[in-house]
Amino acid sequence: MFLPFFDQLRRGGVPVSLREYLTFLEGMDAGIATYDIEAFYYLARTCMVKDERNIDKFDRAFAAAFEGLDAITSDQVMEAVDIPQEWLEKMAEKHLSAEEKAEIEALGGFDKLMETLKQRLEEQKGRHQGGNKWVGTAGTSPFGAYGYNPEGVRIGQDKSRHQRAVKVWDKREFRNLDDTVEIGTRNIKVALKRLRRWARDGAADELDLDGTIRATAEHGYLDVKTRPERRNAVKVLLFLDVGGSMDPHIKLVEELFSAAKSEFKHLEHFYFHNCLYEGVWRDNRRRWDAQIPTWEVLRTYGPDYKCIFVGDASMSPYEVAYRGGANEHWNEEAGQVWLERAREQWSNNLWLNPLPERYWQYTQSVQMIREIFGADRMVPMTLQGIERGMKVLT
């Protein structure tokens, strides 16, 4: 009966395998989520989603496959399955407080609840708000909407206010993790994980639990061992294009910079405008009076650094190909010369482009820089694009 759901997941782009589907069926067979819609959703998601970037795709496929599932009434459930009365009583004891049980008992139980609802629908002739008896809104009656009763029947309300009938798959809390959308600070941290290379360095100030147990067992007394903290040993050089056509991408580049700073202990960054020339800078407020010679950067940072350029590569072709082509100063050497020197010094290099990839073919300078770096070393600044770039760098 779940094969259409499995097919919907595949068509929705969720890379679910037959093994994961069988695991889901085993969970259902074990009774993990027999009569609970929310538990059924989480069981299916746990079994069939192995990458958090696919959670939003899963939610959409789930909604399409089980549309209307949340609208099944308790009467339909009771008619479809034969649940012993003692089971229902035990369930009530488990999930209801003493006050809630007292209120239900005062009304006369579930059968009495439904019978009373039918009578009041026949008696009531108009709209009612507030109160504790009629079918209406904002009251404590067991029937109606926008109020509260521990064992009520919701009527005429488009959503739950106390999350007692919420459709978790329609909330789509993970939609910003879809790998086809542009990145955010949290998202890029996920993508940058591929560039990690763990090593232990620095002072031995972290407890080595395994070493402590081993040494204590060998010596017969408590022998505490410590070790250096485990850190990401990857070294990264970040060159960031600023100004001009990059202004619309400021927020995106800020998110990238923030995520990179938190992910990499060894991170050095420099700014440039449009193309790399003989000078870069660290502070945009002092870009003219505190420039750092690019030759100095090339000599300072060794070839073990991974070099990432961030820019839309949108400029006059003269800025890339000609001496004196820069639009803000006279450059003695063409930008292409400096880019090739950078690529020669740092062979692990990449160009991240915030401009959507579908527009690259219409800008000549983008094509020129792609030729300099190589087609596979310019990637779009999306989660999927950064993941491709991290594979190139590793």
Coordinates of all heavy atoms in Angstrom, one line a residue, residues 187-269:
N187 N 23.6 27.2 6.0 CA 23.7 26.2 4.9 C 25.1 26.0 4.4 O 25.5 24.9 4.0 CB 22.8 26.8 3.7 CG 21.4 27.1 4.2 OD1 21.3 27.9 5.1 ND2 20.4 26.7 3.5
I188 N 25.9 27.1 4.3 CA 27.2 27.0 3.7 C 28.1 26.2 4.7 O 29.0 25.5 4.2 CB 27.8 28.3 3.4 CG1 29.1 28.2 2.5 CG2 28.2 29.1 4.7 CD1 29.7 29.4 2.1
K189 N 27.8 26.2 6.0 CA 28.6 25.4 6.9 C 28.5 24.0 6.6 O 29.4 23.2 6.7 CB 28.2 25.7 8.3 CG 28.6 27.1 8.9 CD 28.1 27.3 10.3 CE 28.5 28.6 10.8 NZ 28.1 28.8 12.2
V190 N 27.2 23.6 6.2 CA 27.0 22.2 5.8 C 27.8 21.9 4.6 O 28.5 20.8 4.5 CB 25.5 22.0 5.5 CG1 25.3 20.5 5.0 CG2 24.7 22.2 6.8
A191 N 27.8 22.8 3.6 CA 28.6 22.5 2.3 C 30.1 22.5 2.5 O 30.8 21.7 1.9 CB 28.2 23.6 1.3
L192 N 30.6 23.3 3.4 CA 32.0 23.4 3.7 C 32.6 22.2 4.4 O 33.8 22.1 4.5 CB 32.4 24.7 4.4 CG 32.2 26.0 3.6 CD1 32.5 27.2 4.5 CD2 33.1 26.1 2.4
K193 N 31.7 21.4 5.0 CA 32.2 20.2 5.7 C 33.1 19.3 4.9 O 34.0 18.7 5.4 CB 31.0 19.4 6.3 CG 30.3 20.1 7.5 CD 29.2 19.3 8.0 CE 28.5 20.0 9.1 NZ 27.3 19.2 9.6
R194 N 32.9 19.3 3.6 CA 33.7 18.5 2.7 C 35.1 18.9 2.7 O 36.0 18.1 2.3 CB 33.1 18.5 1.3 CG 31.8 17.7 1.1 CD 31.4 17.7 -0.3 NE 30.3 16.8 -0.6 CZ 30.4 15.5 -0.8 NH1 31.6 14.9 -0.8 NH2 29.3 14.8 -1.0
L195 N 35.4 20.1 3.1 CA 36.8 20.7 3.0 C 37.5 20.5 4.3 O 38.6 21.0 4.5 CB 36.7 22.2 2.6 CG 38.0 22.7 2.0 CD1 38.3 22.0 0.7 CD2 37.8 24.2 1.6
R196 N 37.0 19.8 5.2 CA 37.6 19.6 6.5 C 38.7 18.5 6.5 O 38.6 17.5 5.8 CB 36.6 19.2 7.6 CG 35.6 20.3 8.0 CD 34.6 19.8 9.0 NE 33.8 20.9 9.5 CZ 32.8 20.7 10.3 NH1 32.5 19.5 10.7 NH2 32.1 21.8 10.7
R197 N 39.8 18.8 7.2 CA 40.8 17.8 7.4 C 41.3 17.9 8.8 O 42.0 18.8 9.2 CB 42.0 18.0 6.4 CG 43.0 16.8 6.5 CD 44.2 17.0 5.5 NE 45.1 18.1 5.9 CZ 45.3 19.2 5.2 NH1 44.6 19.3 4.1 NH2 46.1 20.1 5.7
W198 N 40.9 16.9 9.7 CA 41.0 17.1 11.1 C 42.5 16.7 11.5 O 43.1 15.8 11.0 CB 40.1 16.2 11.9 CG 38.6 16.5 11.7 CD1 37.7 15.9 10.9 CD2 38.0 17.7 12.2 NE1 36.5 16.5 10.9 CE2 36.6 17.6 11.7 CE3 38.4 18.7 13.0 CZ2 35.7 18.6 12.1 CZ3 37.4 19.7 13.3 CH2 36.1 19.6 12.9
A199 N 43.0 17.5 12.5 CA 44.3 17.2 13.0 C 44.3 17.8 14.5 O 43.5 18.7 14.8 CB 45.4 17.9 12.2
R200 N 45.2 17.2 15.3 CA 45.3 17.7 16.7 C 46.6 18.5 16.8 O 47.7 18.0 16.5 CB 45.3 16.5 17.6 CG 44.1 15.7 17.6 CD 44.0 14.7 18.7 NE 42.7 13.9 18.7 CZ 41.6 14.3 19.2 NH1 41.5 15.5 19.8 NH2 40.5 13.6 19.1
D201 N 46.5 19.8 17.2 CA 47.6 20.6 17.4 C 47.4 21.5 18.6 O 46.3 21.6 19.1 CB 47.9 21.4 16.2 CG 46.8 22.3 15.7 OD1 45.7 22.3 16.4 OD2 46.9 23.0 14.7
G202 N 48.4 22.2 19.1 CA 48.3 23.1 20.2 C 48.6 22.5 21.5 O 49.1 21.3 21.6
A203 N 48.1 23.1 22.6 CA 48.3 22.6 23.9 C 47.5 21.4 24.2 O 46.3 21.3 23.7 CB 48.0 23.7 25.0
A204 N 48.0 20.5 25.0 CA 47.3 19.2 25.4 C 46.3 19.6 26.5 O 46.6 19.2 27.7 CB 48.2 18.1 25.7
D205 N 45.2 20.2 26.2 CA 44.2 20.6 27.3 C 42.9 19.9 27.2 O 41.9 20.3 27.8 CB 44.1 22.1 27.3 CG 43.7 22.6 25.9 OD1 43.4 21.8 25.0 OD2 43.7 23.9 25.7
E206 N 42.7 18.9 26.3 CA 41.5 18.2 26.2 C 41.6 16.8 26.8 O 42.6 16.1 26.6 CB 41.1 18.1 24.7 CG 39.8 17.3 24.4 CD 39.6 17.2 22.9 OE1 38.9 18.1 22.4 OE2 40.0 16.2 22.3
L207 N 40.6 16.4 27.6 CA 40.7 15.1 28.2 C 40.7 14.0 27.2 O 39.8 13.9 26.3 CB 39.5 14.9 29.1 CG 39.3 13.5 29.8 CD1 40.5 13.2 30.7 CD2 38.0 13.4 30.5
D208 N 41.6 13.1 27.3 CA 41.7 11.9 26.4 C 41.1 10.7 27.2 O 41.8 10.1 28.0 CB 43.2 11.6 26.1 CG 43.3 10.4 25.1 OD1 42.3 9.8 24.8 OD2 44.4 10.1 24.7
L209 N 39.8 10.5 27.0 CA 39.1 9.5 27.8 C 39.6 8.1 27.6 O 39.9 7.3 28.5 CB 37.6 9.6 27.5 CG 36.7 8.6 28.3 CD1 36.8 8.9 29.8 CD2 35.3 8.8 27.9
D210 N 39.8 7.7 26.3 CA 40.3 6.4 26.0 C 41.7 6.2 26.6 O 42.1 5.1 27.1 CB 40.4 6.2 24.5 CG 39.0 6.1 23.9 OD1 38.0 5.8 24.6 OD2 38.8 6.3 22.7
G211 N 42.6 7.2 26.4 CA 44.0 7.1 26.9 C 44.0 7.0 28.5 O 44.8 6.3 29.0
T212 N 43.0 7.8 29.1 CA 43.0 7.8 30.6 C 42.5 6.4 31.1 O 43.1 5.8 32.0 CB 42.0 8.8 31.0 OG1 42.4 10.1 30.7 CG2 41.8 8.8 32.5
I213 N 41.6 5.8 30.4 CA 41.1 4.4 30.8 C 42.2 3.4 30.6 O 42.5 2.6 31.5 CB 39.9 4.0 30.0 CG1 38.7 4.9 30.3 CG2 39.5 2.6 30.2 CD1 37.5 4.7 29.5
R214 N 42.9 3.5 29.5 CA 44.0 2.6 29.2 C 45.1 2.7 30.2 O 45.6 1.7 30.8 CB 44.5 2.8 27.8 CG 45.6 1.8 27.4 CD 45.8 1.8 25.9 NE 46.1 3.2 25.4 CZ 45.2 3.9 24.7 NH1 44.0 3.4 24.4 NH2 45.5 5.2 24.3
A215 N 45.5 4.0 30.5 CA 46.7 4.2 31.4 C 46.3 3.8 32.8 O 47.1 3.3 33.6 CB 47.1 5.7 31.4
T216 N 45.0 4.1 33.2 CA 44.6 3.7 34.6 C 44.6 2.2 34.8 O 45.0 1.7 35.8 CB 43.2 4.3 34.8 OG1 43.2 5.7 34.7 CG2 42.7 3.9 36.2
A217 N 44.1 1.5 33.7 CA 44.1 0.0 33.8 C 45.5 -0.6 33.9 O 45.8 -1.5 34.6 CB 43.4 -0.6 32.6
E218 N 46.5 0.1 33.2 CA 47.8 -0.4 33.1 C 48.6 -0.2 34.5 O 49.4 -1.0 34.9 CB 48.6 0.2 32.0 CG 48.1 -0.3 30.6 CD 48.8 0.5 29.5 OE1 49.5 1.5 29.8 OE2 48.6 0.1 28.3
H219 N 48.3 1.0 35.1 CA 49.1 1.4 36.2 C 48.4 1.1 37.6 O 49.1 1.2 38.6 CB 49.4 2.9 36.1 CG 50.2 3.3 34.9 ND1 50.0 4.5 34.3 CD2 51.1 2.6 34.2 CE1 50.9 4.6 33.3 NE2 51.5 3.4 33.2
G220 N 47.1 0.8 37.5 CA 46.5 0.5 38.8 C 46.0 1.7 39.6 O 45.5 1.6 40.7
Y221 N 46.1 2.9 39.1 CA 45.6 4.1 39.7 C 45.2 5.1 38.7 O 45.5 4.9 37.5 CB 46.8 4.7 40.6 CG 48.0 5.1 39.8 CD1 48.1 6.3 39.1 CD2 49.1 4.2 39.8 CE1 49.2 6.6 38.4 CE2 50.2 4.5 39.0 CZ 50.3 5.8 38.4 OH 51.4 6.1 37.6
L222 N 44.4 6.1 39.1 CA 43.9 7.0 38.1 C 45.0 7.8 37.5 O 45.7 8.6 38.2 CB 42.9 8.0 38.8 CG 42.2 9.1 37.9 CD1 41.4 8.4 36.8 CD2 41.3 10.0 38.7
D223 N 45.1 7.7 36.2 CA 46.2 8.3 35.4 C 45.5 9.1 34.3 O 45.2 8.6 33.2 CB 47.2 7.3 34.9 CG 48.4 8.0 34.3 OD1 48.5 9.2 34.3 OD2 49.3 7.2 33.8
V224 N 45.3 10.4 34.6 CA 44.6 11.3 33.6 C 45.5 11.7 32.5 O 46.6 12.1 32.7 CB 44.0 12.5 34.3 CG1 43.3 13.4 33.3 CG2 43.1 12.1 35.4
K225 N 45.0 11.4 31.2 CA 45.7 11.8 30.0 C 45.0 12.9 29.3 O 43.8 12.9 29.2 CB 45.9 10.6 29.1 CG 46.7 9.4 29.7 CD 48.2 9.8 29.9 CE 49.0 8.7 30.5 NZ 50.3 9.1 30.8
T226 N 45.8 13.8 28.7 CA 45.2 14.9 27.9 C 45.8 14.9 26.5 O 46.8 14.2 26.3 CB 45.4 16.3 28.6 OG1 46.8 16.5 28.7 CG2 44.7 16.4 29.9
R227 N 45.2 15.6 25.6 CA 45.6 15.7 24.2 C 45.3 17.0 23.6 O 44.3 17.7 24.1 CB 45.0 14.5 23.4 CG 43.5 14.6 23.4 CD 42.9 13.4 22.7 NE 41.5 13.4 22.7 CZ 40.7 12.4 22.3 NH1 41.2 11.3 21.8 NH2 39.4 12.6 22.3
P228 N 45.9 17.4 22.5 CA 45.5 18.7 21.9 C 44.1 18.6 21.3 O 43.6 17.5 20.9 CB 46.6 18.8 20.7 CG 47.7 17.9 21.2 CD 47.1 16.8 21.9
E229 N 43.5 19.7 21.2 CA 42.1 19.8 20.7 C 42.1 19.4 19.2 O 43.1 19.8 18.5 CB 41.5 21.2 20.9 CG 40.1 21.3 20.4 CD 39.5 22.6 20.6 OE1 40.2 23.5 21.3 OE2 38.4 22.9 20.2
R230 N 41.1 18.7 18.7 CA 41.0 18.3 17.3 C 40.5 19.5 16.5 O 39.4 20.0 16.8 CB 40.1 17.1 17.2 CG 39.9 16.5 15.8 CD 39.2 15.2 16.0 NE 38.9 14.5 14.7 CZ 37.7 14.6 14.1 NH1 36.7 15.2 14.6 NH2 37.6 14.0 13.0
R231 N 41.2 20.0 15.5 CA 40.8 21.1 14.8 C 40.9 20.8 13.3 O 41.5 19.9 12.8 CB 41.8 22.3 15.0 CG 41.8 22.7 16.5 CD 42.8 23.9 16.7 NE 43.1 24.2 18.1 CZ 42.3 25.0 18.8 NH1 41.3 25.6 18.2 NH2 42.6 25.3 20.1
N232 N 40.2 21.7 12.5 CA 40.2 21.6 11.1 C 41.6 22.2 10.6 O 41.8 23.4 10.7 CB 39.1 22.4 10.5 CG 39.0 22.2 9.0 OD1 39.7 21.4 8.4 ND2 38.0 22.8 8.3
A233 N 42.4 21.4 10.0 CA 43.8 21.8 9.7 C 43.9 22.4 8.3 O 44.9 22.8 7.8 CB 44.7 20.6 9.7
V234 N 42.7 22.5 7.6 CA 42.8 23.1 6.2 C 43.1 24.6 6.3 O 42.6 25.3 7.1 CB 41.4 22.8 5.5 CG1 41.3 23.6 4.2 CG2 41.2 21.4 5.2
K235 N 44.0 25.0 5.4 CA 44.3 26.4 5.3 C 43.6 27.0 4.0 O 43.7 26.5 2.9 CB 45.8 26.6 5.2 CG 46.6 26.0 6.4 CD 48.1 26.2 6.2 CE 48.9 25.6 7.3 NZ 50.3 25.7 7.1
V236 N 43.0 28.2 4.2 CA 42.2 28.8 3.2 C 42.6 30.2 3.0 O 42.7 31.0 3.9 CB 40.7 28.7 3.5 CG1 39.9 29.4 2.4 CG2 40.3 27.2 3.6
L237 N 42.8 30.6 1.7 CA 42.9 32.0 1.3 C 41.6 32.4 0.6 O 41.2 31.8 -0.4 CB 44.1 32.2 0.4 CG 45.5 32.5 0.9 CD1 46.5 32.5 -0.2 CD2 45.5 33.8 1.7
L238 N 41.0 33.5 1.0 CA 39.8 34.0 0.5 C 40.0 35.4 -0.1 O 40.4 36.3 0.6 CB 38.7 34.1 1.6 CG 37.3 34.0 1.2 CD1 36.9 32.8 0.4 CD2 36.4 34.1 2.5
F239 N 39.8 35.5 -1.4 CA 39.9 36.8 -2.1 C 38.5 37.2 -2.5 O 37.8 36.5 -3.3 CB 40.7 36.6 -3.4 CG 42.2 36.5 -3.1 CD1 42.8 35.2 -3.0 CD2 43.0 37.6 -3.0 CE1 44.1 35.0 -2.8 CE2 44.4 37.4 -2.7 CZ 44.9 36.1 -2.6
L240 N 38.0 38.3 -2.0 CA 36.6 38.8 -2.1 C 36.5 40.0 -3.0 O 37.1 41.1 -2.7 CB 36.1 39.1 -0.7 CG 36.1 37.9 0.3 CD1 35.9 38.4 1.7 CD2 35.1 36.9 -0.1
D241 N 35.8 39.9 -4.1 CA 35.5 41.1 -4.9 C 34.5 42.0 -4.3 O 33.5 41.5 -3.7 CB 34.9 40.6 -6.3 CG 34.7 41.7 -7.3 OD1 35.1 42.8 -7.0 OD2 34.1 41.4 -8.3
V242 N 34.8 43.3 -4.2 CA 33.9 44.3 -3.6 C 33.6 45.4 -4.5 O 34.4 45.8 -5.4 CB 34.5 44.8 -2.3 CG1 34.5 43.7 -1.2 CG2 35.8 45.4 -2.5
G243 N 32.4 46.0 -4.4 CA 32.1 47.2 -5.1 C 31.5 47.0 -6.5 O 31.6 45.9 -7.0
G244 N 30.9 48.0 -7.0 CA 30.3 47.9 -8.4 C 29.2 46.9 -8.5 O 28.3 46.9 -7.7
S245 N 29.4 45.9 -9.4 CA 28.3 44.9 -9.7 C 28.2 43.9 -8.6 O 27.2 43.1 -8.6 CB 28.6 44.2 -11.0 OG 29.9 43.5 -10.9
M246 N 29.1 43.9 -7.6 CA 29.0 43.0 -6.5 C 28.1 43.6 -5.4 O 27.8 42.8 -4.4 CB 30.4 42.8 -5.9 CG 31.2 41.8 -6.7 SD 30.5 40.1 -6.7 CE 30.7 39.6 -5.0
D247 N 27.7 44.8 -5.4 CA 26.9 45.4 -4.4 C 25.6 44.6 -4.1 O 25.2 44.4 -3.0 CB 26.5 46.9 -4.7 CG 27.8 47.8 -4.5 OD1 28.7 47.3 -3.8 OD2 27.7 48.9 -5.0
P248 N 24.9 44.1 -5.2 CA 23.6 43.4 -4.9 C 23.9 42.0 -4.2 O 23.0 41.4 -3.7 CB 23.1 43.1 -6.3 CG 23.7 44.2 -7.2 CD 25.0 44.4 -6.6
H249 N 25.1 41.6 -4.2 CA 25.5 40.3 -3.6 C 26.1 40.4 -2.2 O 26.6 39.4 -1.7 CB 26.4 39.5 -4.5 CG 25.9 39.4 -5.9 ND1 24.8 38.7 -6.3 CD2 26.5 39.9 -7.1 CE1 24.6 38.8 -7.6 NE2 25.6 39.5 -8.1
I250 N 26.1 41.6 -1.6 CA 26.8 41.9 -0.4 C 26.3 40.9 0.7 O 27.1 40.3 1.4 CB 26.6 43.3 0.1 CG1 27.4 44.3 -0.8 CG2 27.0 43.5 1.6 CD1 27.2 45.7 -0.5
K251 N 25.0 40.8 0.9 CA 24.4 39.9 2.0 C 24.9 38.5 1.8 O 25.3 37.8 2.8 CB 22.9 40.0 2.0 CG 22.3 39.2 3.1 CD 20.8 39.3 3.1 CE 20.1 38.6 4.2 NZ 20.3 37.1 4.1
L252 N 24.9 38.0 0.6 CA 25.3 36.6 0.3 C 26.8 36.4 0.6 O 27.2 35.4 1.2 CB 25.0 36.3 -1.2 CG 25.1 34.8 -1.6 CD1 24.2 33.9 -0.8 CD2 24.8 34.7 -3.1
V253 N 27.6 37.3 0.2 CA 29.0 37.2 0.5 C 29.3 37.3 2.0 O 30.2 36.7 2.5 CB 29.8 38.3 -0.3 CG1 31.3 38.2 0.0 CG2 29.6 38.1 -1.8
E254 N 28.6 38.2 2.7 CA 28.8 38.3 4.1 C 28.5 37.0 4.8 O 29.2 36.5 5.7 CB 27.8 39.4 4.7 CG 28.3 40.8 4.4 CD 27.4 41.8 5.0 OE1 26.2 41.5 5.2 OE2 27.8 43.0 5.1
E255 N 27.4 36.3 4.3 CA 27.1 35.0 4.9 C 28.2 33.9 4.6 O 28.5 33.1 5.5 CB 25.7 34.5 4.3 CG 24.5 35.3 4.8 CD 23.3 35.0 4.1 OE1 23.3 34.3 3.0 OE2 22.2 35.4 4.6
L256 N 28.7 34.0 3.4 CA 29.8 33.1 3.1 C 31.0 33.4 4.0 O 31.6 32.5 4.5 CB 30.2 33.3 1.6 CG 31.5 32.7 1.2 CD1 31.4 31.2 1.2 CD2 32.0 33.2 -0.2
F257 N 31.4 34.6 4.1 CA 32.5 35.0 4.9 C 32.3 34.6 6.4 O 33.2 34.1 7.0 CB 32.7 36.5 4.8 CG 34.0 37.0 5.5 CD1 35.2 36.4 5.4 CD2 34.0 38.2 6.3 CE1 36.3 36.8 6.0 CE2 35.1 38.6 6.9 CZ 36.3 37.9 6.8
S258 N 31.1 34.8 6.9 CA 30.8 34.5 8.3 C 31.0 33.0 8.5 O 31.6 32.5 9.5 CB 29.4 34.9 8.7 OG 29.1 34.5 10.0
A259 N 30.4 32.2 7.6 CA 30.5 30.7 7.7 C 31.9 30.2 7.6 O 32.3 29.3 8.4 CB 29.6 30.1 6.6
A260 N 32.7 30.8 6.7 CA 34.1 30.4 6.5 C 34.9 30.7 7.7 O 35.7 29.9 8.1 CB 34.6 31.0 5.2
K261 N 34.7 31.8 8.3 CA 35.5 32.2 9.5 C 35.2 31.2 10.7 O 36.1 30.9 11.4 CB 35.1 33.6 10.0 CG 35.8 34.7 9.1 CD 35.5 36.1 9.7 CE 36.3 36.3 11.0 NZ 36.1 37.7 11.5
S262 N 34.0 30.7 10.8 CA 33.7 29.8 11.9 C 34.1 28.4 11.6 O 34.3 27.6 12.5 CB 32.1 29.8 12.1 OG 31.4 29.3 11.0
E263 N 34.3 28.1 10.3 CA 34.7 26.7 9.9 C 36.2 26.5 9.9 O 36.6 25.4 10.2 CB 34.1 26.3 8.6 CG 32.6 26.1 8.6 CD 32.2 24.8 9.4 OE1 32.9 23.8 9.2 OE2 31.3 24.9 10.2
F264 N 36.9 27.5 9.5 CA 38.4 27.3 9.3 C 39.2 28.1 10.3 O 39.1 29.4 10.3 CB 38.7 27.7 7.9 CG 38.0 26.9 6.8 CD1 37.0 27.6 6.0 CD2 38.2 25.6 6.7 CE1 36.3 26.8 5.1 CE2 37.5 24.8 5.7 CZ 36.5 25.5 4.9
K265 N 40.1 27.4 11.0 CA 41.0 28.1 11.9 C 42.0 28.9 11.2 O 42.4 30.0 11.6 CB 41.6 27.1 12.9 CG 42.6 27.7 13.8 CD 43.4 26.6 14.6 CE 44.4 27.2 15.5 NZ 45.2 26.2 16.2
H266 N 42.5 28.3 10.1 CA 43.5 29.0 9.3 C 42.9 29.6 8.1 O 42.8 29.0 7.0 CB 44.6 28.0 8.8 CG 45.2 27.2 10.0 ND1 46.1 27.8 10.9 CD2 45.0 25.9 10.4 CE1 46.4 26.9 11.8 NE2 45.8 25.7 11.5
L267 N 42.4 30.8 8.2 CA 41.7 31.5 7.2 C 42.3 32.9 7.0 O 42.4 33.7 8.0 CB 40.2 31.6 7.4 CG 39.4 32.5 6.4 CD1 39.3 31.8 5.1 CD2 38.0 32.8 6.9
E268 N 42.7 33.3 5.8 CA 43.2 34.6 5.5 C 42.4 35.2 4.4 O 42.0 34.5 3.5 CB 44.7 34.6 5.1 CG 45.6 34.0 6.1 CD 45.8 34.9 7.3 OE1 45.5 36.1 7.3 OE2 46.2 34.3 8.4
H269 N 42.0 36.5 4.5 CA 41.1 37.1 3.5 C 41.7 38.4 3.0 O 42.3 39.1 3.8 CB 39.7 37.3 4.1 CG 39.6 38.4 5.0 ND1 40.0 38.3 6.3 CD2 39.2 39.7 4.9 CE1 39.8 39.4 7.0 NE2 39.3 40.3 6.1

